[in-house]
């Protein structure tokens, strides 16, 4: 703004530039995407969610879900309008108690216009009432809701929330959760965190779950069905709750033989990654026909097919490793997926070494030798694979290979210091591949740009693989008494993909 003033005694005019205070800026709509180049319309701009309170009712016979979602939000700009990611039918929206207008747009956008604009820095509350049949909803030609014979499950990556609650659906906006679900008596509702209470009335039972640490939206899960539950604790006292569908058939024994070692595996992983970051632990196996597992926070999802060939403790290792790498420290953008998958795969290699079923060096040699130079495997860049290759085997196996090369380059002492220090440095936050490289350089005192460029970004088979001395076994890094507590048992380890996500993107 310019204001022309007359200076007394001077037959001239001057121009004085006045600063416009931030509060005087005109409110504008929040962006319909958070800015992820892989998924431009995922998440939203203009606000941060600190807490989701979900009060739901689900009818397994008809797959009908109705609910009220209350979001505690802070505006990061002056908002005239903002978006949530959601697919079900909305009947009412309120912002700070006042009815707001709303409309659906695009594949999964819910546009909300509050009665009054929301000023930057303001804390406000959004209430959304909704209902629908999740299994009938598709976006981009796929669904992330799994219909089961006795209920339904929400579990997928990079999106699952749209089918059961409105959200700012991107890992950059983490929040705490209360999930309270009413289901018919005899049916259970499983979610993340700790079970706060159960109550029954008039043929319905309500299960109330709480996640008290920041959690990305895709890591929130809901499973309704008939489950057998087991409970226990880790050696450090973390409660463990596992749930198994009552109709797993021939897979039931192998599933239990795997998941019942969850506490043991978590205790073992703390030697590498530091203290377990949450107050609950476990997993669940519903009767779905999908093939993947997913690191849903504190309580991973496992499809029955993960146990088709027998026990598979390795996949449990993979999903629990994600509780540090993927959940505690989440990707800043989906192109940083290597920080999740390469590390979880390498944890499987370390477990194989621990179990006497092949050292990390032997597995690295096998991966390198198994793919000739003309194999398309080498054209996928784990450090930036593209959305079409986000869950390609190369992100997992070449990604783990890159970590093993890093280990050989900087030595065991620095390498394992990096593995343990990284989750602590970025706890409950987000980070990039570049952040990890810089951290590894800081800890090791070595320049690693060329190594990362070769193993994560060059679309060709690296030629610099030589037979070096195998790194010392990780047992030498851990006090022997800690390892003696861990029973040496055998299992059939999954050396294939840790995930098999099917969301229609190839």
């Amino acid at each position: 703004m310019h204001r022309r003033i007359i200076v007394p005694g001077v037959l001239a005019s001057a121009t004085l530039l006045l600063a416009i205070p931030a509060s005087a800026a005109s409110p504008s709509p929040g962006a319909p995407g958070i800015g992820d180049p892989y998924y431009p319309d995922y998440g939203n701009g203009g606000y941060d969610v600190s807490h989701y309170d979900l009060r739901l009712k689900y009818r397994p016979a008809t797959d009908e879900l109705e609910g009220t979602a209350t979001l505690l939000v802070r505006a990061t700009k002056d908002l005239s309008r903002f978006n949530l990611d959601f697919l079900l039918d909305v009947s009412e929206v309120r912002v700070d108690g006042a009815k707001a207008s709303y409309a659906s747009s695009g594949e999964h956008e819910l546009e909300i216009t509050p009665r009054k604009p929301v000023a930057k820095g303001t804390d406000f509350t959004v209430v959304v009432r909704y209902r629908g049949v999740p299994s009938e909803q598709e976006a981009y030609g796929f669904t992330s809701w799994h219909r089961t014979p006795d209920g339904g499950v929400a579990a997928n990556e990079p999106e699952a929330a749209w089918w059961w609650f409105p959200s700012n659906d991107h890992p950059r906006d983490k929040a705490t959760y209360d999930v309270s679900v009413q289901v018919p008596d005899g049916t259970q509702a499983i979610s993340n965190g700790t079970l706060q209470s159960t109550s029954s009335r008039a043929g319905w039972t309500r299960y109330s779950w709480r996640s008290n640490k920041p959690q990305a939206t895709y890591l929130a899960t809901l499973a309704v069905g008939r489950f057998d539950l087991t409970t226990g604790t880790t050696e450090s006292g973390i409660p463990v709750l596992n749930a198994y569908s009552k109709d797993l058939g021939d897979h039931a024994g192998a599933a239990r033989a795997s998941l019942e070692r969850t506490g043991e595996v978590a205790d073992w992983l703390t030697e590498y990654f530091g203290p377990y970051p949450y107050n609950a632990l476990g997993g669940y196996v519903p009767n779905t026909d999908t093939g993947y597992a997913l690191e849903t926070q504190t309580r991973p999802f496992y499809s029955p097919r993960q146990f088709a060939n027998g026990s598979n403790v390795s996949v449990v290792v993979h999903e629990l490793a994600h509780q540090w790498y993927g959940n505690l420290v989440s990707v800043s953008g989906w192109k940083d997926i290597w920080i999740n998958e390469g590390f979880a795969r390498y944890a499987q290699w370390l477990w194989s070494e621990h179990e006497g079923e092949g050292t990390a060096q032997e597995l690295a040699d096998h991966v390198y030798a198994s793919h000739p130079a003309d194999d398309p495997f080498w054209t996928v860049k784990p450090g930036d694979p593209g959305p079409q290759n986000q869950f390609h085997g190369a992100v997992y196996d070449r990604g783990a290979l890159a970590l093993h090369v890093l280990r050989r380059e900087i030595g065991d002492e620095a390498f394992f210091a990096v593995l343990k220090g990284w989750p602590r440095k970025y706890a409950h936050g987000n980070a990039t591949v570049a952040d990890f490289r810089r951290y590894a350089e800081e800890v090791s005192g070595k320049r690693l740009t060329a190594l990362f460029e070769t193993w994560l970004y060059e679309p060709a088979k690296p030629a610099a693989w030589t037979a070096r001395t195998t790194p010392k076994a990780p047992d030498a890094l851990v006090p022997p008494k800690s390892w003696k507590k861990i029973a040496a048992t055998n299992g059939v380890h999954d050396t294939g993909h840790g995930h098999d996500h099917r969301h229609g993107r190839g």
Side-chain angles (χ1 to χ4, degrees):
M1 179 186 297
H2 291 79
R3 177 177 297 170
R4 191 172 298 277
I5 59 174
I6 303 298
V7 180
V10 178
L11 299 177
S13 64
T15 301
L16 177 64
L17 181 64
L18 301 178
I20 302 175
S23 60
S26 298
S28 59
I34 209 166
D36 192 305
Y38 279 16
Y39 305 104
D41 59 351
Y42 282 29
N44 303 285
Y47 65 91
D48 288 317
V49 182
S50 63
H51 184 73
Y52 292 90
D53 182 276
L54 309 178
R55 192 167 181 86
L56 311 173
K57 185 174 186 177
Y58 179 72
R59 296 174 172 81
T62 58
D63 196 39
E64 292 177 278
L65 177 70
E66 60 183 282
T68 300
T70 302
L71 285 62
L72 306 185
V73 186
R74 170 165 289 188
T76 58
K77 66 181 295 292
D78 294 317
L79 287 172
S80 62
R81 190 181 74 216
F82 60 92
N83 285 23
L84 295 172
D85 300 298
F86 197 46
L87 287 173
L88 299 186
D89 295 329
V90 174
S91 60
E92 183 180 67
V93 176
R94 290 178 178 267
V95 176
D96 277 345
K99 284 190 176 182
S101 59
Y102 59 91
S104 297
S105 66
E107 290 277 351
H108 58 87
E109 299 289 337
L110 176 64
E111 294 183 352
I112 298 172
T113 304
R115 187 171 297 179
K116 298 186 300 182
V118 181
K120 179 179 178 179
T122 300
D123 293 321
F124 63 103
T125 302
V126 180
V127 176
V128 181
R129 300 183 190 278
Y130 57 92
R131 66 187 310 151
V133 179
S135 60
E136 294 180 354
Q137 302 298 320
E138 288 191 353
Y140 306 104
F142 70 92
T143 179
S144 290
W145 181 267
H146 311 287
R147 189 81 167 93
T148 65
D150 54 6
V153 175
N156 203 359
E157 183 182 10
E159 66 290 286
W162 312 344
W163 283 264
W164 66 291
F165 68 96
S167 68
N168 190 13
D169 191 29
H170 194 275
R172 284 186 214 162
D173 193 359
K174 297 182 179 183
T176 55
Y177 286 74
D178 281 310
V179 179
S180 181
V181 190
Q182 191 177 43
V183 294
D185 288 348
T187 303
Q188 290 98 4
I190 307 296
S191 192
N192 313 82
T194 56
L195 182 61
Q196 298 296 108
S197 67
T198 60
S199 60
S200 296
R201 185 175 64 183
W204 293 83
T205 302
R206 180 171 292 280
Y207 296 83
S208 296
W209 297 86
R210 172 168 292 170
S211 295
N212 70 344
K213 298 294 185 182
Q215 175 176 288
T217 45
Y218 85 95
L219 298 172
T221 193
L222 174 65
V224 177
R226 298 178 182 272
F227 294 96
D228 290 326
L229 306 180
T230 65
T231 59
T233 60
T234 67
E235 290 189 357
S236 60
I238 303 296
V240 181
L241 185 149
N242 294 320
Y244 307 92
S245 174
K246 292 179 179 291
D247 54 359
L248 292 179
D250 292 343
H251 300 328
R256 287 175 182 257
S258 305
L259 264 68
E260 290 306 302
R261 298 184 67 184
T262 290
E264 172 197 347
V265 169
D267 286 331
W268 174 78
L269 284 169
T270 64
E271 303 289 358
Y272 292 101
F273 300 154
Y276 179 72
Y278 305 111
N279 67 348
L281 183 64
Y284 72 96
V285 189
N287 184 16
T288 67
D289 59 3
T290 58
Y292 61 85
L294 183 66
E295 62 270 19
T296 42
Q297 193 158 304
T298 71
R299 189 151 291 107
F301 159 87
Y302 302 93
S303 77
R305 281 167 49 192
Q306 288 289 330
F307 312 103
N309 296 323
S311 62
N312 186 359
V313 181
S314 186
V315 74
V316 176
V317 172
H318 186 105
E319 304 310 331
L320 293 186
H322 276 313
Q323 303 306 307
W324 288 265
Y325 281 84
N327 297 12
L328 180 60
V329 183
S330 299
V331 297
S332 181
W334 284 108
K335 74 173 185 176
D336 301 304
I337 190 66
W338 171 72
I339 291 177
N340 293 12
E341 304 304 346
F343 292 74
R345 174 65 91 233
Y346 198 72
Q348 291 176 276
W349 291 7
L350 293 174
W351 177 259
S352 175
E353 187 164 307
H354 168 60
E355 293 287 271
E357 298 184 358
T359 67
Q361 181 68 50
E362 290 168 341
L363 291 170
D365 289 339
H366 174 74
V367 168
Y368 186 82
S370 296
H371 300 280
D374 60 353
D375 190 329
F377 173 91
W378 298 109
T379 66
V380 176
K381 300 178 290 184
D384 187 3
Q388 73 280 4
N389 288 319
Q390 191 174 334
F391 302 107
H392 191 281
V395 176
Y396 296 72
D397 291 331
R398 183 179 174 181
L401 195 59
L403 281 172
H404 195 68
V405 173
L406 175 65
R407 178 181 176 183
R408 299 198 310 183
E409 178 67 24
I410 67 177
D412 275 13
E413 183 176 356
F415 178 76
F416 288 104
V418 168
L419 285 192
K420 186 171 286 188
W422 170 263
R424 183 171 62 247
K425 180 178 177 66
Y426 288 96
H428 304 301
N430 305 78
T432 67
V433 174
D435 291 328
F436 182 82
R437 175 183 57 77
R438 286 189 289 267
Y439 182 71
E441 289 177 333
E442 175 187 329
V443 173
S444 68
K446 291 192 174 186
R447 290 187 62 83
L448 300 169
T449 302
L451 184 152
F452 275 73
E453 184 65 28
T454 298
W455 291 94
L456 292 182
Y457 294 102
E458 287 185 3
K461 183 174 184 176
W465 187 262
T466 57
R468 303 184 186 181
T469 302
T470 301
K472 61 187 176 182
D475 307 57
L477 299 171
V478 182
K481 62 182 181 180
S482 298
W483 285 74
K484 289 178 181 178
K485 296 178 182 178
I486 302 175
T489 57
N490 294 321
V492 179
H493 291 177
D494 171 28
T495 56
H497 301 349
H499 301 268
D500 177 26
H501 300 282
R502 303 187 185 279
H503 56 13
R505 289 190 173 83

